[in-house]
Amino acid sequence: MNIGVIGTGVMGQNHARNYADMKGIDEIYLFDVFTETAQKTAERLNAKTVPSVDKLLDKVDAVSICVPTQFHKDTAFQVLNTGVAALIEKPICSTVSDAEYLIENIPKGIITGVGHIERFNPIINEISRIAEKPHYVAIHRHNPVSARITGTPVVEDLMIHDIDIVLNKFIKGDYSLSACGTDDVMGVLINNNNTPIYLSASRKASKKIRSISVETENFTIEGDFMTQEVYIYRKAGVYHAENMRYVQENVVEKVMVTKVEPLKLELQTFLDCVKNKIQFPITLEQATENLKLCEKIHKAAGA
Ligand SMILES: NC(=O)c1ccc[n+]([C@@H]2O[C@H](COP(=O)([O-])OP(=O)(O)OC[C@H]3O[C@@H](n4cnc5c(N)ncnc54)[C@H](O)[C@@H]3O)[C@@H](O)[C@H]2O)c1
């Protein structure tokens, strides 16, 4: 199987690096509008470069689309209309209407998906499996200030990872929400049948945070997206006063999680889907629902 990567910036290089480590790939072809970027990556990874998307599509069975978000619609449209399978980096497009246009105007039956990478973080499957009936969910994703200018609000840039998780793992049925923030910091409270689901994201923090915490009737479960560690805190067995201070004895269990680079698992899953002609777990429709929630958040925040 031959694989292509379109756009070899930060994410494209990560895709190409992971593909270069995988078995079952014959050749990797790279294209970037900045030829030098693609060439440098190709030299490092023993890949090949091509002078255009058309030339790349002549050679490959599947591609990762890692161009800036504003070019996702046109690039995905070109790739999919050639019949080549495509994994589009998140978010699917810049707007819901672009995503809907794309879905309506591509041929049916081609393997497609969107790279909502945290769905492949092993802590998410563990936590959602263990915490069956949450009565509170909180996910925080905060980045230190960066020189990197994305041109994308923090909701589509960072919070969308957690939007994908809550929409697909925690929210059941109808919900309403309130939100406040700016382009760089956002807090959202989702009311899902009186279960509060709280999301926060920031690009102005002084500490990098990637945490999830879920409370259920009998325990609280906490996970760290970066260390991939998960702990369960059982209800206090003993709660008494000692020297005028309350003492609480919790039982803490560490959940065994098999650590894995989420991007590696995402790309391996994509290749397996292409080989076996099965649907990638994150569909274009789900990715569009994620964007719709982003738009609701902006509306609620008055942006
Ligand atoms: N999954 C994640 O965690 C994650 C993290 C960062 C970025 N992303 C997504 O990945 C995508 C790319 O982001 P990035 O941070 O790698 O950006 P980047 O700016 O580092 O890289 C984009 C590359 O695409 C090239 N390019 C621009 N237009 C092109 C075109 N029409 N055809 C071919 N190449 C083109 C640029 O020259 C550049 O090298 C964005 O959609 C972003 O949202 C996802």
Side-chain angles (χ1 to χ4, degrees):
M1 186 192 288
N2 290 341
I3 296 292
V5 177
I6 305 177
T8 52
V10 175
M11 271 324 270
Q13 289 180 35
N14 283 331
H15 281 236
R17 169 179 58 80
N18 273 288
Y19 286 135
D21 280 346
M22 286 177 193
K23 294 196 178 89
I25 296 177
D26 299 311
E27 297 286 357
I28 300 169
Y29 291 91
L30 309 178
F31 171 71
D32 195 290
V33 282
F34 286 111
T35 320
E36 206 185 316
T37 315
Q39 271 164 357
K40 279 188 180 154
T41 311
E43 277 161 27
R44 237 187 7 259
L45 301 173
N46 203 18
K48 293 184 159 60
T49 57
V50 282
S52 68
V53 173
D54 279 336
K55 290 269 187 290
L56 182 132
L57 294 174
D58 284 345
K59 295 187 182 297
V60 300
D61 303 290
V63 300
S64 282
I65 297 177
C66 303
V67 296
T69 306
Q70 64 268 34
F71 304 117
H72 284 191
K73 183 183 92 173
D74 289 347
T75 311
F77 190 79
Q78 183 181 2
V79 172
L80 292 164
N81 275 298
T82 319
V84 171
L87 178 65
I88 308 167
E89 256 305 340
K90 68 82 202 163
I92 174 172
C93 288
S94 302
T95 62
V96 170
S97 60
D98 277 1
E100 288 175 340
Y101 176 89
L102 181 65
I103 292 171
E104 278 163 25
N105 290 284
I106 51 170
K108 306 291 166 233
I110 299 170
I111 307 302
T112 55
V114 178
H116 283 286
I117 189 172
E118 294 288 29
R119 231 161 340 131
F120 295 91
N121 193 315
I123 71 164
I124 290 308
N125 272 342
E126 284 301 330
I127 292 175
S128 58
R129 184 180 62 78
I130 296 168
E132 270 183 357
K133 288 187 183 158
H135 56 217
Y136 176 77
V137 178
I139 312 184
H140 304 296
R141 188 173 294 268
H142 293 226
N143 268 7
V145 180
S146 147
R148 208 169 138 73
I149 298 162
T150 67
T152 309
V154 72
V155 176
E156 282 83 355
D157 186 17
L158 296 182
M159 190 179 275
I160 198 163
H161 290 294
D162 306 315
I163 286 172
D164 179 67
I165 291 167
V166 295
L167 275 180
N168 291 285
K169 299 287 184 183
F170 293 110
I171 292 178
K172 309 268 182 272
D174 293 342
Y175 65 87
S176 59
L177 65 84
S178 55
C180 69
T182 63
D183 253 12
D184 288 316
V185 181
M186 187 62 75
V188 179
L189 183 60
I190 298 170
N191 174 351
N192 181 212
N193 299 316
N194 292 329
T195 299
I197 299 178
Y198 178 50
L199 303 179
S200 72
S202 170
R203 289 188 296 220
K204 289 199 153 190
S206 299
K207 182 185 174 198
K208 186 170 178 176
I209 302 172
R210 298 273 186 278
S211 69
I212 173 167
S213 173
V214 181
E215 281 179 23
T216 72
E217 195 56 32
N218 296 315
F219 60 84
T220 296
I221 184 163
E222 279 181 4
D224 185 311
F225 289 88
M226 294 180 289
T227 61
Q228 299 188 356
E229 286 182 347
V230 174
Y231 291 95
I232 297 175
Y233 300 80
R234 300 270 169 204
K235 277 232 162 76
V238 183
Y239 196 62
H240 59 268
E242 197 177 80
N243 297 333
M244 303 305 283
R245 293 211 330 247
Y246 281 102
V247 177
Q248 178 180 317
E249 291 179 10
N250 276 106
V251 177
V252 183
E253 296 164 25
K254 184 170 185 181
V255 178
M256 291 307 294
V257 176
T258 309
K259 295 184 184 184
V260 60
E261 184 181 346
L263 184 61
K264 186 175 232 70
L265 187 56
E266 174 189 305
L267 299 181
Q268 191 58 61
T269 304
F270 175 56
L271 293 189
D272 292 344
C273 289
V274 174
K275 264 186 216 153
N276 300 312
K277 297 190 170 42
I278 53 175
Q279 175 60 56
F280 185 74
I282 301 156
T283 63
L284 304 195
E285 287 77 8
Q286 287 175 1
T288 306
E289 290 305 314
N290 294 342
L291 261 192
K292 281 185 189 166
L293 183 41
C294 293
E295 292 191 358
K296 281 182 193 163
I297 291 169
H298 289 304
K299 200 168 165 204

